[in-house]
């Protein structure tokens, strides 16, 4: 079956530091890939997505590139802010039912 | 638009009690989902629905039942709560595959359930 593996947290950074969260997946065929973000006390929000190989998703300064050869979708941001403190989830989706398979989540804490 | 709403926000149950969680969406989405979130395990799909009157099992369906009598509502029931069902429950909705943003789901704010 499908699975998503992402680095465990927590990741603690200083403001303006570079952030990378690794994500790899196992799936048959060509899934769509997503990063969702969960701010404290809230539900998940879509951060960015990519639907085919070599696509780059970007939003709010975050980027991730769909790498089929390495089955990866790593999330990066060049200069984080305190407001980026959240839990980040990597996920994949395939056709049947639009169901999402999530990684375990990575908590990021940005200190001023 | 309210998006996806969940009722209640918090609940404490004793072992063996029953309850129903309500999810409502106002985006006219065909698909709806119930997930549970446990520390370090991400979100796991409990049940989902691809249209009014239809439901299907997800990854962890045991101990839960669902109903989708109206397109905008998706109910999650616990008939006899157990401490292992202590979790945060999220509802989500989406367009069908092939229409709208591919695979994107819209989430509610969650219900924190504690079973003692």
């Amino acid at each position: 079956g499908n699975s998503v593996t992402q680095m465990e947290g927590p990741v603690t950074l200083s403001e303006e530091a570079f952030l990378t969260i690794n994500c790899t997946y196992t799936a048959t065929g060509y899934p769509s890939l997503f990063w969702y973000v969960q701010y404290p006390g809230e539900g998940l929000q879509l951060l960015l997505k990519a639907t085919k190989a070599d696509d780059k998703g970007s939003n709010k300064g975050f980027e991730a590139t769909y790498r089929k050869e390495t089955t990866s979708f790593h999330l990066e941001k060049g200069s984080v802010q305190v407001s980026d403190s959240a839990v980040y989830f990597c996920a994949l989706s395939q056709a049947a039912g639009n169901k999402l398979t999530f990684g375990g989540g990575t908590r990021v804490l940005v200190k001023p | 638009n309210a998006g996806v709403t969940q009722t209640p926000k918090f609940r404490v149950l004793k072992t063996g009690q029953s309850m129903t969680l309500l999810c409502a969406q106002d985006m006219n989405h065909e698909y709806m989902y119930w997930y549970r979130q446990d520390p370090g395990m991400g979100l796991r799909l409990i049940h989902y629905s691809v249209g009014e009157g239809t439901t299907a099992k997800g990854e962890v369906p045991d101990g839960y039942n669902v109903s989708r009598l109206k397109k905008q509502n998706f109910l999650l029931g616990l008939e006899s709560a157990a401490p292992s069902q202590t979790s945060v429950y999220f509802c989500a909705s989406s367009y069908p595959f092939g229409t709208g943003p591919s695979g994107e789901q819209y989430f509610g704010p969650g219900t924190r359930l504690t079973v003692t």
Side-chain angles (χ1 to χ4, degrees):
Chain A
N2 297 340
S3 67
V4 176
T5 302
Q6 60 182 105
M7 58 191 292
E8 292 188 20
V11 175
T12 303
L13 303 166
S14 297
E15 215 166 14
E16 299 184 1
F18 185 85
L19 171 67
T20 298
I21 303 176
N22 291 340
C23 170
T24 57
Y25 68 90
T26 302
T28 56
Y30 300 91
S32 295
L33 301 175
F34 304 84
W35 277 100
Y36 280 81
V37 58
Q38 184 181 30
Y39 298 105
E42 298 183 10
L44 279 70
Q45 308 173 19
L46 179 66
L47 180 59
L48 54 83
K49 67 179 183 183
T51 57
K52 60 183 188 295
D54 300 324
D55 267 2
K56 177 185 284 188
S58 62
N59 186 26
K60 298 182 180 180
F62 290 89
E63 292 184 341
T65 300
Y66 189 144
R67 301 285 188 202
K68 186 156 181 63
E69 63 275 14
T70 55
T71 61
S72 65
F73 193 54
H74 305 321
L75 182 69
E76 296 181 337
K77 185 173 185 182
S79 177
V80 294
Q81 306 300 312
V82 172
S83 57
D84 294 323
S85 297
V87 181
Y88 293 83
F89 292 93
C90 186
L92 68 81
S93 174
Q94 293 191 284
N98 256 6
K99 291 176 287 184
L100 285 169
T101 299
F102 286 90
T106 302
R107 183 176 300 277
V108 173
L109 177 61
V110 180
K111 296 185 174 181
Chain B
N1 284 354
V4 180
T5 57
Q6 293 182 231
T7 308
K9 288 186 168 51
F10 303 94
R11 186 71 187 268
V12 178
L13 289 178
K14 295 188 188 302
T15 298
Q17 287 184 321
S18 63
M19 77 163 295
T20 300
L21 282 66
L22 171 63
C23 175
Q25 53 95 3
D26 61 3
M27 295 173 282
N28 203 33
H29 286 163
E30 287 291 333
Y31 291 6
M32 296 186 75
Y33 313 82
W34 276 107
Y35 294 90
R36 60 178 288 172
Q37 182 181 27
D38 301 296
M41 302 185 73
L43 276 74
R44 293 180 292 168
L45 183 65
I46 304 171
H47 286 279
Y48 66 102
S49 168
V50 298
E52 182 179 317
T54 73
T55 64
K57 294 180 180 180
E59 182 185 355
V60 289
D62 294 342
Y64 305 95
N65 57 76
V66 289
S67 64
R68 183 101 181 268
L69 298 179
K70 294 183 179 180
K71 184 177 182 179
Q72 64 268 33
N73 295 338
F74 195 29
L75 278 62
L76 178 71
L78 286 71
E79 290 187 348
S80 179
S84 60
Q85 294 178 303
T86 294
S87 188
V88 181
Y89 291 85
F90 287 98
C91 177
S93 67
S94 78
Y95 296 101
F97 183 81
T99 67
S102 176
E104 180 176 348
Q105 294 183 14
Y106 298 79
F107 284 80
T111 295
R112 184 172 295 276
L113 174 66
T114 302
V115 183
T116 61

